[in-house]
Amino acid sequence: MAQKDTVDRILDAAEALFAERGFAETSLRTITSTANVNLAAVNYHFGSKKSLIQAVFVRFLEPLADSLSDRLDAAQADGQELSLDDLLSLLASAILSAHGEDDVNRTASFMRLLGLAYTQSQGHLRDYLRDRYGSVSTRYVDLLRPACPQLEDTDLFWNTHFALGAAVFSLSNYGALDAMLKDDSGQESRIMNVIKRLLAFISAGVQVSVKV
Amino acid sequence: MAQKDTVDRILDAAEALFAERGFAETSLRTITSTANVNLAAVNYHFGSKKSLIQAVFVRFLEPLADSLSDRLDAAQADGQELSLDDLLSLLASAILSAHGEDDVNRTASFMRLLGLAYTQSQGHLRDYLRDRYGSVSTRYVDLLRPACPQLEDTDLFWNTHFALGAAVFSLSNYGALDAMLKDDSGQESRIMNVIKRLLAFISAGVQVSVKV
DNA sequence: TGTACATCAGTGAACGCGCGTTCACTGATGTAC
DNA sequence: TGTACATCAGTGAACGCGCGTTCACTGATGTAC
């Protein structure tokens, strides 16, 4: 099946190169030569560079959104209330499991893409992702409110965005940060420990209420 | 003084446009036409686009680094130990005062630039800033350790980076986030309240210790 | 004081380059009769 | 079964465009004698 090969090789190369250098800094020529594919193949299969960027995100986020939905269904099925820590570890395990527990590096590298999507001006991408994944993210956020009964709406709004920032920033710079530390444990256990730390940090921070 | 006018108009336009769209997405033609300046003037005064980017950062960070140093000198002069909350509010007030309390919007917009500097691949900029401001940032971080005696080095390392992420991300997206909230208080008091919330969030998160 | 020269901010037009995209084309495979 | 045609993945070369940078130049100001 020659088509699937070409399409997937383009997506693989684009995902890795975008995460490494950003969207504007990665040319179609670099992508296609990395993927061993003709330059015109990107426009043939995807139509444009913008659509290729969207396709990279969809390929990664689709299984993730499905996995999160399934877990929320399962957790809500028994009618029990979900605590903040329940919700946080549910989200973490949905993210980690969506692409197989072993492919942790790809997940970390995709976090860089998420960070880039926020900071680089990819308006088309933001709109597209909100359209496509807005409902599952709203569903998740709505579960946070009963899990943090002591927080007012404004508290919760800002705290969740602080938490999102801590997660996106630290995971998207994970490679550079990890290299600064002299840590001899295995790569797999190192990143899992960082995620454990991140969850603890977020859990403490999110529960803070501020009188203004 | 025609030169200072031109140089400053270029820096003003570049700072605003870079923060709005990113480095690669902002052309010298856009900058010079916004600044009402000849296209060749950027290369005449700065030598290259890279050097212009560095000059934008230096113009903003130089007073900030000075202000932080001065405050650390003053705080350490009386020999008292600095608590974590002392250190956090010292940093916040150094950042806010460096460019006049009234110019809070420029400070928020510059936070976007800091975020971009991290995520867009501006290797030359990272190296340059580390050279120039590494010592004052090391001085600050070294004061955090005695302020958090219950933390191991690894705890502190990750927690400070989580905190940095929360700050950079939320402030650099401040405009968009603020617009999502229906809040009728004045602009000035709104952003000050967010900074208060951010400090509380960070203060709680940084103190979390994780056994791995 | 006047003249000759040096310095320097700023300019207008052009340079070459790499970019995303387009287009006419090939060749293999599937389908209709 | 054989022939004619349609479909579609993939290709090679070229397109126009916007980019950062360069260069010869102008004109104002300062300096030396």
Side-chain angles (χ1 to χ4, degrees):
Chain A
M1 195 167 279
Q3 184 207 350
K4 185 162 185 312
D5 267 10
T6 300
V7 167
D8 271 357
R9 285 217 308 279
I10 293 173
L11 287 172
D12 288 343
E15 183 177 310
L17 289 165
F18 285 151
E20 195 181 298
R21 337 179 164 182
F23 304 113
E25 296 82 355
T26 305
S27 72
L28 295 185
R29 281 166 178 80
T30 308
I31 293 170
T32 51
S33 72
T34 301
N36 272 314
V37 146
N38 187 277
L39 168 62
V42 168
N43 277 275
Y44 176 75
H45 286 291
F46 298 95
S48 67
K49 189 180 180 182
K50 277 189 183 184
S51 304
L52 170 62
I53 295 176
Q54 294 179 356
V56 166
F57 276 82
V58 167
R59 186 177 65 150
F60 192 94
L61 290 178
E62 201 68 36
L64 200 161
D66 290 347
S67 158
L68 180 58
S69 285
D70 291 349
R71 277 156 206 266
L72 287 175
D73 289 344
Q76 291 187 299
D78 58 10
Q80 250 180 278
E81 283 257 319
L82 289 165
S83 72
L84 176 60
D85 287 334
D86 287 342
L87 284 167
L88 289 178
S89 53
L90 186 148
L91 178 59
S93 72
I95 292 175
L96 287 172
S97 73
H99 294 277
E101 312 273 351
D102 37 45
D103 211 353
V104 166
N105 282 326
R106 187 179 163 216
T107 302
S109 134
F110 190 81
M111 289 296 130
R112 274 195 75 80
L113 278 188
L114 271 191
L116 288 178
Y118 265 93
T119 53
Q120 297 199 218
S121 56
Q122 297 288 333
H124 68 101
L125 185 59
R126 274 221 227 191
D127 297 346
Y128 182 77
L129 295 181
R130 187 174 334 108
D131 263 23
R132 193 147 179 154
Y133 303 110
S135 66
V136 64
S137 84
T138 301
R139 180 181 176 194
Y140 184 82
V141 171
D142 284 346
L143 287 168
L144 287 176
R145 196 175 319 281
C148 304
Q150 81 281 17
L151 296 188
E152 300 192 10
D153 283 3
T154 316
D155 289 322
L156 190 62
F157 175 85
W158 286 110
N159 286 354
T160 51
H161 282 99
F162 297 152
L164 185 61
V168 167
F169 179 91
S170 56
L171 292 181
S172 80
N173 291 295
Y174 173 74
L177 295 175
D178 184 57
M180 287 187 204
L181 270 179
K182 292 195 187 80
D183 184 338
D184 293 338
S185 45
Q187 166 144 330
E188 182 79 0
S189 83
R190 284 209 307 278
I191 194 166
M192 286 305 176
N193 286 340
V194 171
I195 290 170
K196 205 168 147 191
R197 292 177 187 281
L198 177 61
L199 291 177
F201 180 96
I202 288 176
S203 174
V206 165
Q207 301 184 57
V208 171
S209 175
V210 171
K211 292 275 159 297
V212 292
Chain B
M1 197 168 281
Q3 183 206 352
K4 183 164 187 310
D5 268 11
T6 301
V7 167
D8 271 358
R9 285 217 307 280
I10 292 172
L11 287 171
D12 288 343
E15 181 177 311
L17 289 164
F18 284 152
E20 195 180 299
R21 337 180 165 180
F23 305 111
E25 295 82 357
T26 306
S27 71
L28 294 186
R29 281 164 178 80
T30 309
I31 293 170
T32 51
S33 73
T34 302
N36 272 315
V37 144
N38 187 276
L39 167 62
V42 168
N43 278 274
Y44 176 74
H45 285 291
F46 297 95
S48 68
K49 189 181 182 184
K50 278 189 182 183
S51 304
L52 170 62
I53 295 176
Q54 294 179 356
V56 166
F57 276 82
V58 167
R59 184 176 68 149
F60 192 94
L61 290 178
E62 202 67 36
L64 200 160
D66 290 347
S67 158
L68 179 57
S69 285
D70 291 349
R71 276 156 207 267
L72 287 176
D73 289 344
Q76 291 187 298
D78 59 8
Q80 250 180 277
E81 283 257 320
L82 290 166
S83 73
L84 174 61
D85 287 333
D86 289 341
L87 284 167
L88 288 178
S89 52
L90 186 148
L91 178 60
S93 71
I95 292 175
L96 287 172
S97 73
H99 295 277
E101 311 274 352
D102 37 46
D103 210 353
V104 167
N105 282 326
R106 188 179 162 216
T107 302
S109 134
F110 190 82
M111 290 294 131
R112 274 195 77 80
L113 279 188
L114 271 191
L116 288 179
Y118 265 94
T119 52
Q120 297 200 218
S121 56
Q122 297 288 334
H124 68 100
L125 185 59
R126 274 219 229 191
D127 296 345
Y128 182 77
L129 296 181
R130 188 176 330 109
D131 262 22
R132 193 149 178 151
Y133 303 110
S135 65
V136 63
S137 85
T138 301
R139 179 181 176 192
Y140 184 83
V141 171
D142 284 346
L143 288 167
L144 287 175
R145 196 176 319 282
C148 305
Q150 81 281 17
L151 296 188
E152 298 191 11
D153 282 4
T154 317
D155 289 321
L156 191 61
F157 175 85
W158 285 109
N159 286 355
T160 51
H161 283 100
F162 297 152
L164 185 62
V168 167
F169 180 90
S170 57
L171 293 181
S172 80
N173 290 296
Y174 174 74
L177 295 175
D178 184 57
M180 287 187 203
L181 270 179
K182 293 196 187 81
D183 184 340
D184 293 338
S185 44
Q187 166 145 328
E188 182 80 358
S189 82
R190 284 208 308 278
I191 191 166
M192 286 304 176
N193 286 340
V194 172
I195 289 170
K196 205 167 148 190
R197 293 178 187 282
L198 177 61
L199 291 178
F201 180 95
I202 287 175
S203 175
V206 164
Q207 301 183 57
V208 171
S209 174
V210 171
K211 292 274 160 298
V212 292

